[in-house]
Amino acid sequence: NTQEVKVMDREKWEEEVNRRNTEKRESDARKAFDWLDTDSDGQVSVDEVMARPELDDDGDVTVTIEEAETYLDGNVPVNFETFLEKAWDIMAEKLKEENKYVDEEKVDKDYDEDDEDENDEDYNSDYNSDGRDDGMPPYDPETQELIDIAEKARQAFKEAESRKKDLENRKRDFEQYLNMALGRNHEFSSLFEECFEYTDREYTYKACMFQKVTQRSKNGGRETSLGNWEKWDGPSDNIYEAMKYSNGEKCWNGPNRSTGMDLP
């Protein structure tokens, strides 16, 4: 279904985001490692860390042995793999504060916050250009096709449900009509659901035959129920002389309203 497709798409997207974040972390760590590895022996030592005043942690512009060993997490010296695993996360925030941590002579260009912002912008544009409201990228064509098919199926199902409900209502109304006592010879069938109004000095009364009776003030406002169809209520020799509508709205501090209707 659509939800499963969207969940799979999100999981796929999150995997890609994690992959790119991992690649970016390794790239940043590699630039910092090369910047620290001044003798290019493939390892970073305590002396090389102490030679970088940017890593001073207490404001005296001097990196002590203790500070250097803390950055390297007690691993001396470290190759890149160990640096990435043990030292980089400790060192990263400090290097970002200093705004520069690559040697122009060792790499093609400086890597500072401007570069990082530029990389982030490229990264975000890959994922958010023409993206969805949730910040994810557009669905790939195959996923979008599945979603479109599911949406069309859902819409078709809703329309079918609506038609089914309409048919059920019509069937119920028809059965009600067939079961309705509409006279000895069905002579009152033409009145079924017909509505008539009468207005006096204060109210407009509305009678919808075999359904309900209501009243509304001539000054406006809502309708008040005076009863719903209950039965024929004439004498035993001709019950079709009178109608009874009952169980309307409750009167103030009294019974439910009801209406009797005499037919000429």
Side-chain angles (χ1 to χ4, degrees):
N1 58 38
T2 306
Q3 189 60 34
E4 290 176 348
V5 171
K6 289 183 177 180
V7 168
M8 291 174 61
D9 180 76
R10 175 174 287 278
E11 290 175 348
K12 179 180 177 181
W13 174 73
E14 289 175 348
E15 289 177 0
E16 178 64 14
V17 169
N18 290 335
R19 183 188 67 79
R20 291 204 175 194
N21 285 338
T22 299
E23 288 182 355
K24 187 176 187 303
R25 177 174 178 270
E26 291 183 3
S27 175
D28 290 348
R30 170 57 71 181
K31 291 173 183 177
F33 184 88
D34 292 343
W35 173 70
L36 289 165
D37 185 17
T38 53
D39 61 7
S40 301
D41 67 347
Q43 298 186 99
V44 171
S45 66
V46 168
D47 289 339
E48 287 173 323
V49 174
M50 292 175 63
R52 294 296 188 181
E54 296 91 341
L55 294 174
D56 170 50
D57 200 36
D58 57 13
D60 62 1
V61 199
T62 299
V63 180
T64 65
I65 292 177
E66 290 78 11
E67 289 174 334
E69 289 179 344
T70 298
Y71 279 124
L72 298 179
D73 196 30
N75 299 279
V76 182
V78 297
N79 58 21
F80 177 70
E81 287 72 21
T82 303
F83 178 82
L84 176 64
E85 179 183 357
K86 301 291 187 180
W88 172 235
D89 291 332
I90 301 173
M91 194 177 293
E93 291 302 320
K94 184 63 180 178
L95 292 177
K96 288 179 181 178
E97 289 175 10
E98 294 302 324
N99 205 29
K100 180 178 179 181
Y101 51 84
V102 291
D103 190 336
E104 294 181 6
E105 296 178 357
K106 296 192 65 177
V107 295
D108 293 335
K109 68 172 185 175
D110 289 359
Y111 185 87
D112 55 25
E113 284 188 350
D114 291 337
D115 297 322
E116 185 174 4
D117 292 342
E118 181 180 345
N119 289 342
D120 288 343
E121 182 178 351
D122 293 341
Y123 172 79
N124 290 332
S125 66
D126 288 344
Y127 278 85
N128 294 331
S129 176
D130 299 325
R132 304 193 295 277
D133 292 340
D134 57 6
M136 290 176 60
Y139 295 114
D140 61 71
E142 291 182 358
T143 300
Q144 187 61 59
E145 182 179 5
L146 289 174
I147 291 174
D148 291 342
I149 291 172
E151 291 292 347
K152 289 179 180 178
R154 181 182 292 105
Q155 184 61 33
F157 178 77
K158 287 176 62 177
E159 292 174 357
E161 281 285 293
S162 178
R163 289 194 297 270
K164 176 176 176 287
K165 186 175 181 179
D166 181 60
L167 289 172
E168 288 175 345
N169 290 337
R170 293 169 62 184
K171 177 176 178 288
R172 184 185 65 249
D173 292 343
F174 187 65
E175 289 175 346
Q176 180 184 3
Y177 174 79
L178 291 177
N179 294 326
M180 188 74 66
L182 297 174
R184 293 186 180 89
N185 299 304
H186 234 55
E187 62 268 26
F188 294 104
S189 61
S190 62
L191 295 179
F192 185 72
E193 294 186 339
E194 287 291 321
C195 296
F196 304 91
E197 291 187 356
Y198 168 75
T199 302
D200 63 12
R201 289 184 300 176
E202 188 174 357
Y203 295 104
T204 294
Y205 299 90
K206 184 177 181 179
C208 292
M209 309 303 285
F210 305 101
Q211 286 188 305
K212 61 183 180 179
V213 178
T214 61
Q215 73 175 27
R216 174 181 290 172
S217 171
K218 290 173 64 175
N219 296 324
R222 68 178 187 86
E223 287 186 337
T224 299
S225 172
L226 300 182
N228 301 295
W229 168 254
E230 181 182 351
K231 63 179 180 177
W232 290 104
D233 201 33
S236 59
D237 60 334
N238 186 12
I239 63 171
Y240 301 109
E241 287 184 2
M243 290 176 150
K244 183 176 181 180
Y245 294 81
S246 61
N247 199 31
E249 289 189 32
K250 189 176 180 63
C251 295
W252 172 253
N253 202 26
N256 290 71
R257 291 175 171 87
S258 62
T259 301
M261 187 182 302
D262 295 329
L263 301 182

